[in-house]
């Protein structure tokens, strides 16, 4: 009978030791983990971003011209964004010319953290061949919706454009980190 009691006591001691060890492990790994809410920056809003076309970095080939469309975080905190911006060309009166930019799947979408004062970019392109077949005109403004936002910003950008609907001559890629230099 004493032999059985010793085995039971040994089993209880082993179980307690495992339980205490697990509690210590769980406590140490939980305390090492960062808290999720403070680790995820807020989503960038239109008010957080200054949007501009980097004219000095433009280039072209085979009738298509490319410009970095830059999104600079003007807030005092990191913000994050994901996806395609919405882009349209406008005349001087603010009327949209042709269709909004199509989506160029050149890059896969991913969350982009933009630090305060930092910049992310999308590649904006337009095709002269498409413009030449749709009653061409010149846009003087560009309207940009940052990804997943319903408020746009408008800036000066002169480019050949279509005056008729149903002609996609502009395209944009998803936002990517950094400037396009």
């Amino acid at each position: 009978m004493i032999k059985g009691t010793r085995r039971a006591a040994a089993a209880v001691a082993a179980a307690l030791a495992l339980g205490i060890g697990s509690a210590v492990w769980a406590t140490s790994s939980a305390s090492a983990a960062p808290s999720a809410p403070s680790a995820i920056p807020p989503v960038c809003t239109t008010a957080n971003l200054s949007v501009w076309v980097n004219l000095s970095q433009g280039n072209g080939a085979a009738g298509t011209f490319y410009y970095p469309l830059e999104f600079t975080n003007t807030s005092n905190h990191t913000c994050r964004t994901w996806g395609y911006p919405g882009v349209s060309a406008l005349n001087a009166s603010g009327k949209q010319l042709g269709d909004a930019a199509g989506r160029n799947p050149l890059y896969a979408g991913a969350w982009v953290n933009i630090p305060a004062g930092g910049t992310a970019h999308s590649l904006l392109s337009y095709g002269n061949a498409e413009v030449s077949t749709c009653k061409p005109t010149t846009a003087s403004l560009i309207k940009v919706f940052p990804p997943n936002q319903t408020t746009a910003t408008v800036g000066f950008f002169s480019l050949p454009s279509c005056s008729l609907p149903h002609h996609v001559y502009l395209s944009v890629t998803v936002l990517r980190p950094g400037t396009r230099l």
Side-chain angles (χ1 to χ4, degrees):
M1 191 76 157
I2 294 179
K3 203 178 223 183
T5 306
R6 284 187 193 158
R7 282 188 193 154
V12 169
L16 284 174
L18 285 174
I20 292 169
S22 297
V24 170
W25 176 82
T27 301
S28 25
S29 45
S31 62
S35 62
S38 64
I40 300 173
V43 172
C44 299
T45 65
T46 304
N48 297 140
L49 300 170
S50 173
V51 182
W52 50 286
V53 176
N54 192 339
L55 295 174
S56 68
Q57 296 297 314
N59 60 47
T64 302
F65 296 88
Y66 302 91
Y67 291 95
L69 183 59
E70 310 283 7
F71 294 77
T72 300
N73 180 356
T74 58
S75 75
N76 61 0
H77 62 275
T78 296
C79 65
R80 66 189 174 111
T81 188
W82 180 87
Y84 292 91
V87 179
S88 302
L90 311 174
N91 67 15
S93 302
K95 180 182 181 274
Q96 184 172 319
L97 300 170
D99 292 343
R103 294 179 169 188
N104 180 342
L106 183 61
Y107 306 110
W111 282 103
V112 176
N113 289 338
I114 309 173
T119 300
H121 71 278
S122 172
L123 190 59
L124 170 66
S125 64
Y126 69 88
N128 260 351
E130 288 85 358
V131 171
S132 67
T133 62
C134 64
K135 197 173 175 188
T137 188
T138 301
S140 53
L141 302 168
I142 189 169
K143 183 177 186 177
V144 179
F145 289 88
N148 307 301
Q149 296 297 302
T150 57
T151 304
T153 185
V154 176
F156 295 102
F157 184 52
S158 178
L159 73 151
S161 55
C162 292
S163 59
L164 302 175
H166 311 298
H167 285 83
V168 178
Y169 61 98
L170 295 170
S171 71
V172 290
T173 64
V174 295
L175 255 66
R176 298 181 29 102
T179 57
R180 170 87 179 182
L181 298 176

